[in-house]
């Protein structure tokens, strides 16, 4: 009997491995292989007419240490951090309102439907709003709030505004999931124990949805940090970011090793973010498991 059970478990594990091959093959071809190529290219010498020469070189990483590139990295970090904070600040109350509403499905569709359109169309829509002769300037002039047009477009503020709009669903959805699973009786208990409404929100709700907030931070920070289209179309000279460097090095300067080196920086930051999400989810699962065991123990004692 025992041998039959072991044989069945061995058979199931082999079948599981067989079913996992397509996903593993896809992962290797479209994720691991490109990363390996980028990693190798970052340590090669730049070709005279583009491409690379197969000679080991650290020149790309030395070039990354130049002050002008350091300023762009700092600027990218500044724009990314401000955009991420604003996105999270807007997303938390939005996700809370959605989770407490009886029309969750409707609100979810309202968040998702605009993102069925192409991202370029959405950026061009913002350009028509923020342009010098755009909708916003025309409304302000008709209301006599301004006499001449205000340059809303082609600056850092425009990049931050459009970045927040572009990535806000990636923040709202994980926070909404966390709030929807939150036990709201804890808020009532906190209020019964004398906590004010803001205290119960900041000391009970926010820690309770921490995993959703961390996921939202990562899902927002990583794509904005490597963004290319938004700073290209709505930004100016003062909003040139890392993504623009990579594209220019590939298409204009044809310095592929330097582009690969910058890509490795973005990749490493992305991997760190994914590891943070995994660790947070693991800690939350362990905490829930521990609380369940304690509840069962208390229930058994009673």
């Amino acid at each position: 009997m025992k041998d039959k059970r072991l044989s069945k478990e061995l058979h199931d594990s082999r079948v599981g491995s067989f079913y996992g091959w397509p996903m593993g093959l896809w992962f290797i071809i479209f994720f691991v292989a490109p990363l390996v190529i980028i990693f190798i290219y970052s340590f090669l010498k730049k070709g005279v007419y583009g491409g690379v020469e197969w000679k080991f070189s650290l020149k790309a990483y030395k070039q990354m240490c130049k002050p002008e590139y350091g300023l762009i990295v700092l600027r990218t970090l500044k724009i990314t951090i401000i955009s991420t904070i604003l996105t999270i600040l807007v997303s938390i109350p939005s996700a809370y309102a959605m989770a407490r509403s009886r029309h969750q499905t409707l609100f979810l569709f309202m968040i998702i439907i605009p993102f069925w359109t192409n991202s370029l169309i959405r950026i061009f829509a913002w350009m028509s709003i923020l342009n010098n002769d755009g909708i916003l300037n025309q409304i302000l002039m008709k209301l006599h709030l301004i006499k001449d047009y205000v340059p809303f477009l082609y600056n850092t503020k425009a990049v931050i505004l459009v970045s927040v709009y572009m990535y806000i669903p990636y923040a709202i959805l994980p926070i909404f999931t966390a709030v929807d699973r939150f036990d709201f009786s804890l808020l009532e208990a906190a209020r019964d124990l004398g906590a004010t409404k803001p205290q119960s929100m900041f000391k009970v709700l926010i820690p309770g949805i921490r995993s959703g907030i961390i996921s939202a931070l990562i899902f927002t920070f990583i794509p904005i940090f490597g963004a290319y289209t938004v700073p290209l179309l709505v930004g100016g000279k003062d909003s040139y970011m890392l993504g623009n460097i990579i594209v220019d090095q590939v298409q204009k300067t044809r310095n592929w090793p330097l582009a690969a080196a910058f890509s490795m920086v973005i990749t490493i930051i992305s991997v760190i973010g994914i590891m943070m999400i995994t660790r947070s989810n693991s800690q939350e699962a362990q905490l829930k498991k521990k609380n369940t065991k304690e509840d069962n123990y208390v229930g058994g004692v009673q």
Side-chain angles (χ1 to χ4, degrees):
M1 187 70 181
K2 188 177 179 181
D3 292 338
K4 285 184 178 178
R5 193 178 66 185
L6 287 173
S7 176
K8 187 176 182 304
E9 288 178 355
L10 185 63
H11 177 265
D12 290 344
S13 66
R14 285 176 180 172
V15 171
S17 303
F18 177 76
Y19 287 148
W21 266 106
M23 188 182 72
L25 193 63
W26 176 278
F27 184 76
I28 290 171
I29 293 174
F30 294 104
F31 183 75
V32 177
L35 275 184
V36 171
I37 293 170
I38 291 171
F39 179 75
I40 293 172
Y41 272 32
S42 69
F43 290 101
L44 295 179
K45 193 176 176 183
K46 177 191 170 188
V48 179
Y49 303 105
V52 293
E53 291 183 14
W54 290 91
K55 295 178 182 175
F56 179 79
S57 173
L58 292 173
K59 191 176 179 181
Y61 288 95
K62 289 179 182 174
Q63 286 180 313
M64 284 177 63
C65 299
K66 287 183 177 178
E68 56 265 31
Y69 290 130
L71 286 174
I72 294 173
V73 172
L74 290 176
R75 181 190 300 148
T76 304
L77 276 173
K78 175 188 164 188
I79 292 173
T80 306
I81 290 171
I82 293 173
S83 303
T84 303
I85 291 172
L86 289 175
T87 306
I88 299 299
L89 289 177
V90 174
S91 299
I92 291 175
S94 303
Y96 180 82
M98 285 170 60
R100 299 291 278 175
S101 172
R102 290 179 298 176
H103 308 289
Q104 287 186 2
T105 308
L106 174 66
F107 286 123
L108 281 172
F109 270 107
M110 289 174 68
I111 293 292
I112 294 170
I113 284 175
F115 292 85
W116 289 353
T117 58
N118 188 282
S119 60
L120 283 175
I121 294 174
R122 282 179 276 134
I123 296 173
F124 283 125
W126 272 105
M127 291 174 71
S128 69
I129 294 171
L130 301 175
N131 212 349
N132 291 342
D133 57 350
I135 298 169
L136 185 58
N137 268 311
Q138 288 180 14
I139 291 174
L140 293 175
M141 291 176 82
K142 283 183 180 177
L143 293 173
H144 302 289
L145 295 175
I146 56 173
K147 293 181 180 178
D148 197 4
Y149 70 84
V150 178
F152 292 115
L153 207 54
Y154 306 121
N155 51 50
T156 304
K157 292 175 184 173
V159 174
I160 292 172
L161 174 65
V162 178
S163 297
V164 170
Y165 166 75
M166 293 292 288
Y167 298 104
I168 202 165
Y170 300 102
I172 287 180
L173 294 178
I175 296 176
F176 163 75
T177 305
V179 175
D180 197 41
R181 289 183 303 183
F182 181 75
D183 184 3
F184 286 96
S185 64
L186 295 174
L187 288 180
E188 296 173 7
R191 296 295 301 278
D192 291 341
L193 292 171
T196 61
K197 198 168 184 178
Q199 284 176 332
S200 62
M201 287 287 181
F202 284 104
K203 293 187 177 180
V204 179
L205 177 66
I206 298 297
I209 60 171
R210 189 185 61 179
S211 63
I213 294 175
I214 292 174
S215 299
L217 276 170
I218 302 302
F219 289 160
T220 310
F221 185 90
I222 291 174
I224 295 178
F225 190 71
Y228 158 70
T229 315
V230 172
L232 178 71
L233 295 177
V234 304
K237 291 181 180 178
D238 61 340
S239 46
Y240 192 75
M241 294 172 64
L242 270 182
N244 303 104
I245 291 181
I246 295 171
V247 175
D248 286 348
Q249 292 299 326
V250 172
Q251 295 183 344
K252 296 177 182 176
T253 315
R254 301 185 69 78
N255 189 346
W256 290 16
L258 183 57
F262 277 115
S263 299
M264 284 307 301
V265 172
I266 294 176
T267 303
I268 290 169
I269 291 174
S270 304
V271 170
I272 292 172
I274 292 167
M275 289 172 68
M276 286 175 63
I277 292 177
T278 307
R279 187 181 175 188
S280 173
N281 290 336
S282 174
Q283 287 178 342
E284 188 179 22
Q286 287 179 358
L287 185 63
K288 282 184 179 177
K289 191 176 178 182
K290 184 180 176 183
N291 290 337
T292 306
K293 281 184 179 178
E294 288 177 355
D295 291 343
N296 291 337
Y297 174 74
V298 171
V301 170
Q302 287 176 345

PDB file of all heavy atoms in Angstrom, residues 201-215:
ATOM      1  N   MET A 201      -7.089  54.534  11.345  1.00  0.00           N
ATOM      2  CA  MET A 201      -6.671  54.352   9.947  1.00  0.00           C
ATOM      3  C   MET A 201      -5.162  54.134   9.846  1.00  0.00           C
ATOM      4  O   MET A 201      -4.699  53.218   9.157  1.00  0.00           O
ATOM      5  CB  MET A 201      -7.067  55.591   9.121  1.00  0.00           C
ATOM      6  CG  MET A 201      -8.550  55.686   8.853  1.00  0.00           C
ATOM      7  SD  MET A 201      -9.046  54.452   7.633  1.00  0.00           S
ATOM      8  CE  MET A 201     -10.802  54.806   7.503  1.00  0.00           C
ATOM      9  N   PHE A 202      -4.392  55.006  10.533  1.00  0.00           N
ATOM     10  CA  PHE A 202      -2.935  54.967  10.381  1.00  0.00           C
ATOM     11  C   PHE A 202      -2.287  53.840  11.204  1.00  0.00           C
ATOM     12  O   PHE A 202      -1.227  53.345  10.826  1.00  0.00           O
ATOM     13  CB  PHE A 202      -2.328  56.314  10.784  1.00  0.00           C
ATOM     14  CG  PHE A 202      -2.523  57.387   9.750  1.00  0.00           C
ATOM     15  CD1 PHE A 202      -3.471  58.381   9.932  1.00  0.00           C
ATOM     16  CD2 PHE A 202      -1.776  57.392   8.575  1.00  0.00           C
ATOM     17  CE1 PHE A 202      -3.669  59.369   8.973  1.00  0.00           C
ATOM     18  CE2 PHE A 202      -1.972  58.365   7.609  1.00  0.00           C
ATOM     19  CZ  PHE A 202      -2.926  59.361   7.803  1.00  0.00           C
ATOM     20  N   LYS A 203      -2.906  53.455  12.337  1.00  0.00           N
ATOM     21  CA  LYS A 203      -2.279  52.441  13.190  1.00  0.00           C
ATOM     22  C   LYS A 203      -2.865  51.041  13.013  1.00  0.00           C
ATOM     23  O   LYS A 203      -2.275  50.062  13.484  1.00  0.00           O
ATOM     24  CB  LYS A 203      -2.408  52.863  14.664  1.00  0.00           C
ATOM     25  CG  LYS A 203      -1.595  54.112  14.990  1.00  0.00           C
ATOM     26  CD  LYS A 203      -1.603  54.411  16.473  1.00  0.00           C
ATOM     27  CE  LYS A 203      -0.726  55.617  16.791  1.00  0.00           C
ATOM     28  NZ  LYS A 203      -0.706  55.956  18.226  1.00  0.00           N
ATOM     29  N   VAL A 204      -4.017  50.948  12.344  1.00  0.00           N
ATOM     30  CA  VAL A 204      -4.636  49.624  12.150  1.00  0.00           C
ATOM     31  C   VAL A 204      -4.771  49.290  10.662  1.00  0.00           C
ATOM     32  O   VAL A 204      -4.312  48.237  10.202  1.00  0.00           O
ATOM     33  CB  VAL A 204      -6.023  49.561  12.831  1.00  0.00           C
ATOM     34  CG1 VAL A 204      -6.663  48.192  12.607  1.00  0.00           C
ATOM     35  CG2 VAL A 204      -5.892  49.850  14.315  1.00  0.00           C
ATOM     36  N   LEU A 205      -5.400  50.199   9.897  1.00  0.00           N
ATOM     37  CA  LEU A 205      -5.653  49.890   8.485  1.00  0.00           C
ATOM     38  C   LEU A 205      -4.352  49.838   7.671  1.00  0.00           C
ATOM     39  O   LEU A 205      -4.109  48.863   6.944  1.00  0.00           O
ATOM     40  CB  LEU A 205      -6.613  50.927   7.885  1.00  0.00           C
ATOM     41  CG  LEU A 205      -6.891  50.749   6.386  1.00  0.00           C
ATOM     42  CD1 LEU A 205      -7.649  49.455   6.133  1.00  0.00           C
ATOM     43  CD2 LEU A 205      -7.669  51.932   5.828  1.00  0.00           C
ATOM     44  N   ILE A 206      -3.540  50.907   7.769  1.00  0.00           N
ATOM     45  CA  ILE A 206      -2.327  50.978   6.938  1.00  0.00           C
ATOM     46  C   ILE A 206      -1.386  49.790   7.199  1.00  0.00           C
ATOM     47  O   ILE A 206      -0.926  49.149   6.242  1.00  0.00           O
ATOM     48  CB  ILE A 206      -1.589  52.323   7.167  1.00  0.00           C
ATOM     49  CG1 ILE A 206      -2.493  53.499   6.742  1.00  0.00           C
ATOM     50  CG2 ILE A 206      -0.280  52.350   6.384  1.00  0.00           C
ATOM     51  CD1 ILE A 206      -2.848  53.522   5.277  1.00  0.00           C
ATOM     52  N   PRO A 207      -1.093  49.437   8.480  1.00  0.00           N
ATOM     53  CA  PRO A 207      -0.263  48.227   8.676  1.00  0.00           C
ATOM     54  C   PRO A 207      -0.939  46.956   8.154  1.00  0.00           C
ATOM     55  O   PRO A 207      -0.262  46.043   7.692  1.00  0.00           O
ATOM     56  CB  PRO A 207      -0.097  48.169  10.203  1.00  0.00           C
ATOM     57  CG  PRO A 207      -0.312  49.561  10.665  1.00  0.00           C
ATOM     58  CD  PRO A 207      -1.336  50.129   9.754  1.00  0.00           C
ATOM     59  N   GLY A 208      -2.276  46.923   8.210  1.00  0.00           N
ATOM     60  CA  GLY A 208      -3.001  45.734   7.748  1.00  0.00           C
ATOM     61  C   GLY A 208      -2.963  45.541   6.244  1.00  0.00           C
ATOM     62  O   GLY A 208      -3.143  44.425   5.758  1.00  0.00           O
ATOM     63  N   ILE A 209      -2.771  46.626   5.498  1.00  0.00           N
ATOM     64  CA  ILE A 209      -2.721  46.517   4.027  1.00  0.00           C
ATOM     65  C   ILE A 209      -1.304  46.786   3.527  1.00  0.00           C
ATOM     66  O   ILE A 209      -1.107  47.192   2.381  1.00  0.00           O
ATOM     67  CB  ILE A 209      -3.721  47.488   3.359  1.00  0.00           C
ATOM     68  CG1 ILE A 209      -3.401  48.941   3.732  1.00  0.00           C
ATOM     69  CG2 ILE A 209      -5.147  47.136   3.738  1.00  0.00           C
ATOM     70  CD1 ILE A 209      -4.212  49.955   2.933  1.00  0.00           C
ATOM     71  N   ARG A 210      -0.313  46.551   4.387  1.00  0.00           N
ATOM     72  CA  ARG A 210       1.080  46.867   4.049  1.00  0.00           C
ATOM     73  C   ARG A 210       1.550  46.116   2.800  1.00  0.00           C
ATOM     74  O   ARG A 210       2.230  46.682   1.943  1.00  0.00           O
ATOM     75  CB  ARG A 210       1.988  46.496   5.223  1.00  0.00           C
ATOM     76  CG  ARG A 210       3.417  46.977   5.052  1.00  0.00           C
ATOM     77  CD  ARG A 210       4.284  46.487   6.171  1.00  0.00           C
ATOM     78  NE  ARG A 210       4.308  45.025   6.201  1.00  0.00           N
ATOM     79  CZ  ARG A 210       5.002  44.294   7.061  1.00  0.00           C
ATOM     80  NH1 ARG A 210       5.703  44.905   7.995  1.00  0.00           N
ATOM     81  NH2 ARG A 210       4.978  42.986   7.019  1.00  0.00           N
ATOM     82  N   SER A 211       1.169  44.845   2.674  1.00  0.00           N
ATOM     83  CA  SER A 211       1.638  44.075   1.511  1.00  0.00           C
ATOM     84  C   SER A 211       1.112  44.677   0.206  1.00  0.00           C
ATOM     85  O   SER A 211       1.833  44.721  -0.804  1.00  0.00           O
ATOM     86  CB  SER A 211       1.200  42.623   1.635  1.00  0.00           C
ATOM     87  OG  SER A 211      -0.213  42.533   1.627  1.00  0.00           O
ATOM     88  N   GLY A 212      -0.149  45.149   0.222  1.00  0.00           N
ATOM     89  CA  GLY A 212      -0.715  45.782  -0.975  1.00  0.00           C
ATOM     90  C   GLY A 212      -0.005  47.082  -1.308  1.00  0.00           C
ATOM     91  O   GLY A 212       0.250  47.381  -2.483  1.00  0.00           O
ATOM     92  N   ILE A 213       0.340  47.856  -0.263  1.00  0.00           N
ATOM     93  CA  ILE A 213       1.042  49.126  -0.494  1.00  0.00           C
ATOM     94  C   ILE A 213       2.442  48.868  -1.049  1.00  0.00           C
ATOM     95  O   ILE A 213       2.898  49.566  -1.969  1.00  0.00           O
ATOM     96  CB  ILE A 213       1.109  49.942   0.815  1.00  0.00           C
ATOM     97  CG1 ILE A 213      -0.304  50.365   1.241  1.00  0.00           C
ATOM     98  CG2 ILE A 213       1.985  51.173   0.644  1.00  0.00           C
ATOM     99  CD1 ILE A 213      -0.367  51.067   2.586  1.00  0.00           C
ATOM    100  N   ILE A 214       3.139  47.853  -0.507  1.00  0.00           N
ATOM    101  CA  ILE A 214       4.486  47.533  -1.011  1.00  0.00           C
ATOM    102  C   ILE A 214       4.418  47.088  -2.467  1.00  0.00           C
ATOM    103  O   ILE A 214       5.223  47.509  -3.306  1.00  0.00           O
ATOM    104  CB  ILE A 214       5.147  46.451  -0.131  1.00  0.00           C
ATOM    105  CG1 ILE A 214       5.455  47.032   1.251  1.00  0.00           C
ATOM    106  CG2 ILE A 214       6.435  45.932  -0.769  1.00  0.00           C
ATOM    107  CD1 ILE A 214       5.978  46.024   2.244  1.00  0.00           C
ATOM    108  N   SER A 215       3.422  46.244  -2.790  1.00  0.00           N
ATOM    109  CA  SER A 215       3.260  45.816  -4.189  1.00  0.00           C
ATOM    110  C   SER A 215       2.994  47.020  -5.086  1.00  0.00           C
ATOM    111  O   SER A 215       3.571  47.131  -6.180  1.00  0.00           O
ATOM    112  CB  SER A 215       2.100  44.825  -4.306  1.00  0.00           C
ATOM    113  OG  SER A 215       2.347  43.678  -3.528  1.00  0.00           O
TER     114      SER A 215
END
